[in-house]
Amino acid sequence: MPPSAYERRKDPQKVRAALIEATTTMIAAHGLAGVTVDAVAKAAGVTKGGLFHHFHSKQALIDGVHDLIVADAEARFAALIADDPEPHGCFTRALLNSVFNPHQIGDAAPARTLCLAMLADPALQRRWAAWTEQQVARHAATDDNVPCAIVRLAADGVWLSSLHDADTPPPVSQAVRDALCAMTYPDG
């Protein structure tokens, strides 16, 4: 049973989370074109006015989904980096590991769906490019080198090639995986 309007007003975080969840579900089921403000509001159990109180537009909802997925990925990358005994290339290895082991970045389905949507949405492309540039700058001391850049580009390619089938691992041999990982180390 959905919470009453009074309960929702008392917990705007829950309303926002319900709107993001409804948007994520709709993107997964119908793509970006299938996301409508009316449908998201209805699925989240709020009025359109309630939705617009939290998100001023459909694009803001989609940006909210993107931000949630990115925040989750950043937290998981941070954990992988913290567990990595070799600082050199640690961010690139975390990224590579997440591509070959998507369960390490949480539920991969919303991220996969959003990535597919990103191919057709310039606003999402710009947001992703800005995030990537920010991460490379943040990890410049350990990952700003040609081999790591090549590995990140290869990881992007592997990720893109795996988007068509969420149940199939990326189509890359273990030897290629090992070679990419080796490139992230100082003597790689």
Side-chain angles (χ1 to χ4, degrees):
M1 169 186 257
S4 70
Y6 176 76
E7 289 170 332
R8 284 194 303 265
R9 277 195 298 270
K10 292 287 189 182
D11 198 346
Q13 296 287 2
K14 283 186 180 178
V15 174
R16 191 173 173 82
L19 291 165
I20 293 291
E21 183 178 337
T23 305
T24 302
T25 301
M26 284 185 192
I27 291 171
H30 309 290
L32 285 179
V35 176
T36 67
V37 170
D38 289 329
V40 170
K42 183 176 181 179
V46 301
T47 64
K48 254 174 76 172
L51 181 149
F52 285 127
H53 175 75
H54 294 279
F55 297 97
H56 66 277
S57 66
K58 174 182 165 181
Q59 187 63 50
L61 277 166
I62 293 164
D63 290 348
V65 171
H66 177 270
D67 292 346
L68 183 68
I69 290 168
V70 165
D72 182 59
E74 284 179 354
R76 291 174 188 273
F77 285 177
L80 289 169
I81 290 167
D83 289 343
D84 191 334
E86 174 55 55
H88 183 88
C90 60
F91 169 73
T92 303
R93 276 190 301 282
L95 178 66
L96 189 63
N97 196 18
S98 72
V99 168
F100 287 119
N101 302 299
H103 66 277
Q104 294 204 3
I105 55 169
D107 182 2
R112 185 178 306 278
T113 301
L114 196 63
C115 286
L116 284 169
M118 190 184 324
L119 297 175
D121 187 307
L124 283 175
Q125 291 169 13
R126 286 189 296 275
R127 289 176 69 81
W128 180 253
W131 179 82
T132 302
E133 289 171 14
Q134 180 186 44
Q135 295 308 305
V136 170
R138 178 182 293 160
H139 299 284
T142 58
D143 290 67
D144 188 12
N145 57 70
V146 171
C148 283
I150 291 169
V151 171
R152 288 190 302 273
L153 290 169
D156 283 349
V158 169
W159 177 252
L160 284 172
S161 71
S162 70
L163 288 176
H164 70 281
D165 188 354
D167 298 324
T168 303
V172 177
S173 72
Q174 189 61 47
V176 171
R177 293 178 189 194
D178 293 345
L180 288 170
C181 188
M183 291 174 66
T184 67
Y185 287 95
D187 298 326

